């Protein structure tokens, strides 16, 4: 993912069947990171996920989850690895969205954490607006992912209905031809064989 510092990244990745994708991030000790992920399309909308610290110890592991969130304060400096696995699926192609955030958000006001006096009315209003905007952004991301998931399901259902309609049309066509041939055989005139005996 490269050097994030205090910040994060959002990615949407394709996860083929029986495949695994891993990402690596070098982090300092005592840093908080958060991993949010959600399966947008494919199969039963589930995926395996695990996170390892630089010593190879698994600090998070979940199987067949549709979505989840994981936060952790690093205890050692080094490269942290998080992987998404679709190895349990033999034919379902998945699309996974994840948001990886590193560090705490910087304060919106200078020296906000070191102040001994109360915030002014204007500063309090700024903090409240900032928190509301963060909630709006999170809601927009959630609804955007839900919309993408619902669109994928609708397209899948549309494909199934189309195939079912084509199949029904072919069956009706075959049955109609069979009925016509059967009725025609009932009314076909059978001529007796002309083998008269001569005297």
């Amino acid at each position: 993912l490269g050097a994030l510092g205090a910040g994060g990244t959002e990615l949407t990745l394709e996860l083929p069947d029986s495949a695994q994708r891993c990402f690596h991030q070098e982090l300092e000790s005592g840093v908080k990171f958060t991993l949010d992920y959600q399966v947008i399309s494919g199969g039963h909308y589930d995926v395996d996920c695990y996170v390892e610290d630089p010593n190879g110890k698994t600090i998070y592991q979940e199987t067949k989850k549709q979505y989840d969130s994981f936060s952790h304060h690093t205890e050692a400096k080094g490269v942290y690895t998080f992987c998404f696995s679709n190895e349990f699926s033999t034919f379902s192609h998945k699309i996974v969205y994840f948001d990886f955030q590193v560090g705490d958000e910087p304060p919106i006001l200078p020296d906000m954490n070191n102040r001994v006096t109360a915030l002014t009315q204007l500063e309090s209003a700024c903090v409240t607006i900032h928190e509301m905007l963060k909630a709006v952004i999170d809601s927009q991301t959630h609804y955007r992912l839900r919309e993408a998931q619902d669109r994928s399901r609708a397209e899948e259902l549309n494909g199934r209905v189309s195939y079912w309609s084509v199949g029904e049309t072919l069956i009706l066509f075959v049955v109609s031809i069979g009925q016509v041939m059967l009725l025609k055989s009932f009314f076909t005139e059978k001529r007796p064989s002309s083998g008269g005996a001569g005297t």
Side-chain angles (χ1 to χ4, degrees):
L1 292 177
L4 292 179
T9 185
E10 296 180 67
L11 288 177
T12 302
L13 64 102
E14 294 187 12
L15 194 59
D17 51 284
S18 304
Q20 176 176 291
R21 295 276 173 90
C22 293
F23 299 87
H24 310 278
Q25 178 63 43
E26 185 171 359
L27 299 173
E28 300 290 332
S29 61
V31 175
K32 177 187 176 183
F33 70 86
T34 303
L35 173 65
D36 298 314
Y37 64 92
Q38 180 174 341
V39 181
I40 299 175
S41 68
H44 295 289
Y45 301 88
D46 53 357
V47 71
D48 294 346
C49 180
Y50 67 88
V51 181
E52 290 183 350
D53 65 7
N55 301 321
K57 177 185 175 183
T58 302
I59 56 178
Y60 169 83
Q61 184 171 11
E62 289 291 341
T63 58
K64 296 186 177 181
K65 295 282 285 188
Q66 294 184 348
Y67 59 89
D68 202 6
S69 179
F70 171 69
S71 296
H72 182 72
H73 282 85
T74 60
E75 298 176 356
K77 177 182 177 180
V79 176
Y80 285 76
T81 303
F82 60 98
C83 298
F84 299 101
S85 174
N86 193 28
E87 295 177 334
F88 61 88
S89 179
T90 56
F91 58 88
S92 294
H93 184 89
K94 308 282 177 65
I95 296 179
V96 181
Y97 161 86
F98 73 87
D99 181 10
F100 187 75
Q101 298 291 330
V102 177
D104 293 321
E105 184 180 5
I108 62 172
L109 299 174
D111 298 329
M112 183 174 171
N113 295 332
N114 300 325
R115 293 182 64 153
V116 292
T117 59
L119 297 176
T120 65
Q121 186 175 2
L122 179 61
E123 290 172 340
S124 298
C126 289
V127 172
T128 302
I129 291 172
H130 179 71
E131 295 297 326
M132 289 182 176
L133 286 176
K134 281 176 56 181
V136 168
I137 291 172
D138 292 340
S139 297
Q140 284 180 335
T141 301
H142 172 72
Y143 288 122
R144 178 167 47 87
L145 293 174
R146 286 292 300 273
E147 187 269 337
Q149 192 178 69
D150 292 341
R151 186 186 331 115
S152 174
R153 287 181 177 174
E155 290 175 354
E156 182 181 351
L157 287 175
N158 183 42
R160 290 184 180 182
V161 169
S162 298
Y163 287 133
W164 181 256
S165 300
V166 169
E168 281 188 331
T169 303
L170 290 175
I171 291 173
L172 285 174
F173 186 69
V174 170
V175 169
S176 299
I177 291 178
Q179 287 180 342
V180 169
M181 298 294 290
L182 184 62
L183 288 173
K184 188 176 178 183
S185 68
F186 288 157
F187 296 102
T188 300
E189 181 182 354
K190 294 184 179 179
R191 298 179 183 239
S193 57
S194 55
T199 52

